[in-house]
């Protein structure tokens, strides 16, 4: 039976945020199956942290194509390193989202909200009440846990307020979807005393394996950035506070005299300036700005090894979706992550790479140097990573998981 869904998300293509790519693919899958979708999202702004030139000039825009209608709102982008400014921008965007969700005509079978920002969870509550339907809250990261772990929020009163706000947001949701069992345990601890706790379900992220395919490492990207046939160790993704970039820069320093190895950091974010300064001092470290989404497959193929360096203590709060992209490209990873977490499970289960403890340079460099010297093992890992991804994770299976959840909630 055909459904009508209201999706509220901070990003949606052509915005280049990983979350937006994932949500866009889910919407496309639902539309293919004959469902009607309303999307409330932001104007594209993720790549340079300002509204893309061709989208400037209006507070909101709306477009409709077949069974998908998209309302795009001003995101009021601010400096990501300043928490108060980000909070103000989240609130302003969320206020517009409330108006949009109340204005859109129902009925809907469910409202699906993507967080962060956590403020959108309460926008979803209002929308679900307005349209008398079920609310599913999808948590891509756990806040305020991540902000606290990174030292972005230190005041005990602020932490206490944010924790209360988090629980308030969860309360009233019919279901919460998380990316891993680690996140599921985290959320269940916070809702166990609620009178009517939401159903917490693990629905992992994915990547469209057909859009990213294994290809030759000798790409135009290599030629453009004068990488030649050197061995490329790459981090591709958001340049934020959650990543241990010290592992990469210290490895570059250790290998500075090697003419055959180069380190590439591809992306944008709050750490861009600092990393560019370090790249100016190291001849084997390149920081390359975020590339258009249509070049993602080429960028990933340009590397011989990809890195997933997550800081200590963040393993049960976040699951970097970049690992699915790397696996789709058929490349091995070295993941520096907390033990017993989802990323460790993914890497070990797929046999698509190596896991080392977080922020442990000695372990990291030992495994990295071993993999650099073992081309057969790298090729084997890359093949296994791709096979594992195709078997277990696709946009269709994840889209169906949400539809099944909606049917369960509406029984």
């Amino acid at each position: 039976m055909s459904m009508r869904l209201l999706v509220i998300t901070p990003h949606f293509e052509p915005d280049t945020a990983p979350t937006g790519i994932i949500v866009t693919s889910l919407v496309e899958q639902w539309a293919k199956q004959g469902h009607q979708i309303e999307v409330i999202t932001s104007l594209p702004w993720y790549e340079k942290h300002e509204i893309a030139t061709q989208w400037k000039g209006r507070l909101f825009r709306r477009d409709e194509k077949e069974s998908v209608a998209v309302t795009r709102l001003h995101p009021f982008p601010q400096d990501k390193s300043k928490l108060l400014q980000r909070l103000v921008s989240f609130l302003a965007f969320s206020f517009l989202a409330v108006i949009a969700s109340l204005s859109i005509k129902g009925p809907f079978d469910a409202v699906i909200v993507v967080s962060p920002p956590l403020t959108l969870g309460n926008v979803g509550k209002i929308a679900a009440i307005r349209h008398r339907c079920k609310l599913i809250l999808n948590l891509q990261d756990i806040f305020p846990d991540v902000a606290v772990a990174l030292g972005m929020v230190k005041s005990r009163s602020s932490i206490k307020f944010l924790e209360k706000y988090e629980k308030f947001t969860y309360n009233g949701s019919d279901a919460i979807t998380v990316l891993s069992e680690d996140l599921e345990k985290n959320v269940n601890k916070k809702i166990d005393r609620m009178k009517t706790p939401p159903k917490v379900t693990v629905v992992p992220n994915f990547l469209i394996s057909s859009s990213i395919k294994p290809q030759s490492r000798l790409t135009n990207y290599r030629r453009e950035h004068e990488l030649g046939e050197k061995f490329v160790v790459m981090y591709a993704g958001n340049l934020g506070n959650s990543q241990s970039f010290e592992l990469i820069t210290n490895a570059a320093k250790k290998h500075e005299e090697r003419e055959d190895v180069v380190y590439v950091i591809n992306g944008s974010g709050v750490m861009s300036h600092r990393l560019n300064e370090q790249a100016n001092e190291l001849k084997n470290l390149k920081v390359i700005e975020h590339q258009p989404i249509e070049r993602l497959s080429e960028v990933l193929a340009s590397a011989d090894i990809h890195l997933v360096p997550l800081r200590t203590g963040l393993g049960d709060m976040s699951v970097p979706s970049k690992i699915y992209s790397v696996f789709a490209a058929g490349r091995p990873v070295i993941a520096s992550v907390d033990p017993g977490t989802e990323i460790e499970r993914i890497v070990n289960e797929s046999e698509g790479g190596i896991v080392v403890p977080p922020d442990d340079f000695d372990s990291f460099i030992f495994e990295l140097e071993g993999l650099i010297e073992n081309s057969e093992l790298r090729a084997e890992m890359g093949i296994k990573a791709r096979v594992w991804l195709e078997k277990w994770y696709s946009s269709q299976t994840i889209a169906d998981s949400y539809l099944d959840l909606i049917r369960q909630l509406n029984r």
Side-chain angles (χ1 to χ4, degrees):
M1 185 177 71
S2 176
M3 294 187 190
R4 194 155 186 261
L5 307 176
L6 173 58
V7 177
I8 304 174
T9 175
H11 304 285
F12 196 79
E13 286 188 355
D15 213 350
T16 57
T19 301
I21 298 169
I22 289 166
V23 175
T24 302
S25 182
L26 288 176
V27 168
E28 289 173 349
Q29 285 294 333
W30 292 328
K32 285 179 184 177
Q33 296 180 38
H35 304 293
Q36 300 290 316
I37 319 295
E38 282 276 356
V39 178
I40 296 175
T41 189
S42 65
L43 295 166
W45 64 277
Y46 181 82
E47 183 174 345
K48 296 184 178 179
H49 217 68
E50 62 179 38
I51 296 175
T53 303
Q54 63 270 36
W55 294 89
K56 290 181 178 179
R58 292 172 63 179
L59 198 61
F60 72 92
R61 297 194 184 198
R62 181 173 172 82
D63 57 83
E64 299 182 27
K65 185 177 180 181
E66 298 177 352
S67 57
V68 178
V70 183
T71 301
R72 301 182 190 273
L73 310 171
H74 200 297
F76 305 97
Q78 298 288 339
D79 186 343
K80 291 181 70 175
S81 64
K82 298 180 179 179
L83 195 62
L84 183 59
Q85 289 186 12
R86 290 186 70 188
L87 178 59
V88 171
S89 70
F90 289 158
L91 290 172
F93 171 65
S94 298
F95 177 73
L96 291 184
V98 167
I99 296 174
S101 65
L102 293 175
S103 303
I104 289 173
K105 292 183 179 180
F108 293 100
D109 293 278
V111 175
I112 300 173
V113 179
V114 180
S115 170
L118 199 58
T119 51
L120 286 187
N122 292 297
V123 175
K125 279 187 189 180
I126 295 170
I129 292 171
R130 159 72 173 85
H131 299 292
R132 299 179 182 180
C133 63
K134 301 298 183 180
L135 171 61
I136 298 174
L137 176 60
N138 169 250
L139 300 178
Q140 292 288 313
D141 287 316
I142 305 295
F143 280 86
D145 295 23
V146 171
V148 173
L150 292 173
M152 297 174 68
V153 181
K154 297 179 180 178
S155 164
R156 291 185 67 182
S157 59
S158 296
I159 292 171
K160 191 172 183 179
F161 170 79
L162 289 172
E163 288 175 345
K164 287 184 176 180
Y165 183 79
E166 179 190 15
K167 291 180 181 179
F168 173 76
T169 304
Y170 296 165
N171 195 15
S173 300
D174 295 286
I176 296 176
T177 61
V178 293
L179 304 182
S180 70
E181 293 181 1
D182 306 309
L183 274 63
E184 180 184 27
K185 292 175 183 176
N186 184 307
V187 173
N188 274 324
K189 288 179 183 177
K190 297 168 181 175
I191 66 172
D192 63 351
R193 294 186 181 181
M194 290 181 183
K195 188 175 181 180
T196 310
K199 176 185 177 67
V200 182
T201 303
V202 176
V203 182
N205 275 345
F206 64 92
L207 197 115
I208 318 166
S209 56
S210 61
S211 68
I212 298 178
K213 296 181 178 180
Q215 62 185 77
S216 169
R217 61 195 287 277
L218 301 178
T219 61
N220 288 329
Y221 178 89
R222 276 179 173 260
R223 285 188 284 274
E224 288 172 18
H225 300 289
E226 300 178 344
L227 301 174
E229 296 190 20
K230 291 182 179 181
F231 191 98
V232 174
V233 181
M234 178 182 289
Y235 170 86
N238 179 49
L239 309 187
N241 294 307
S242 300
Q243 289 77 36
S244 297
F245 290 113
E246 297 87 353
L247 292 176
I248 304 173
T249 55
N250 287 337
K253 289 175 185 176
K254 188 175 189 299
H255 293 153
E256 191 169 12
E257 299 308 315
R258 289 191 63 163
E259 298 291 336
D260 60 327
V261 177
V262 61
Y263 290 80
V264 175
I265 297 175
N266 188 103
S268 59
V270 296
M271 296 294 291
S272 294
H273 180 70
R274 184 183 301 177
L275 290 168
N276 272 294
E277 287 182 339
Q278 291 177 293
N280 289 334
E281 299 174 359
L282 292 168
K283 61 184 180 182
N284 64 337
L285 175 64
K286 288 180 176 286
V287 178
I288 299 169
E289 65 180 11
H290 186 89
Q291 299 296 300
I293 188 62
E294 57 269 19
R295 295 197 71 184
L296 180 58
S297 185
E298 177 190 354
V299 172
L300 296 175
S302 302
D304 296 284
I305 297 175
H306 282 272
L307 305 177
V308 180
L310 201 60
R311 290 195 184 280
T312 301
L314 297 184
D316 64 348
M317 306 174 199
S318 179
V319 180
S321 59
K322 66 177 67 66
I323 194 166
Y324 301 103
S325 307
V326 173
F327 280 10
R331 294 294 187 269
V333 302
I334 294 181
S336 174
V337 296
D338 292 315
T341 53
E342 183 71 1
I343 290 294
E344 182 187 54
R345 184 194 68 80
I346 288 172
V347 174
N348 289 338
E349 183 180 288
S350 65
E351 300 181 38
I354 298 171
V355 179
V356 299
D359 301 310
D360 184 339
F361 181 72
D362 290 339
S363 297
F364 172 77
I365 200 70
F366 175 80
E367 297 293 353
L368 176 59
E369 289 179 342
L371 204 52
I372 287 174
E373 302 303 327
N374 195 333
S375 60
E376 291 185 3
L377 181 58
R378 293 197 310 271
E380 181 181 346
M381 286 179 169
I383 292 170
K384 287 182 175 179
R386 174 75 189 194
V387 169
W388 179 87
L389 182 71
E390 290 179 334
K391 182 177 181 181
W392 294 109
Y393 293 91
S394 72
S395 57
Q396 182 176 338
T397 57
I398 302 305
D400 289 344
S401 295
Y402 275 100
L403 297 178
D404 290 341
L405 178 57
I406 294 168
R407 293 185 186 103
Q408 291 174 26
L409 295 174
N410 284 323
R411 283 175 185 165

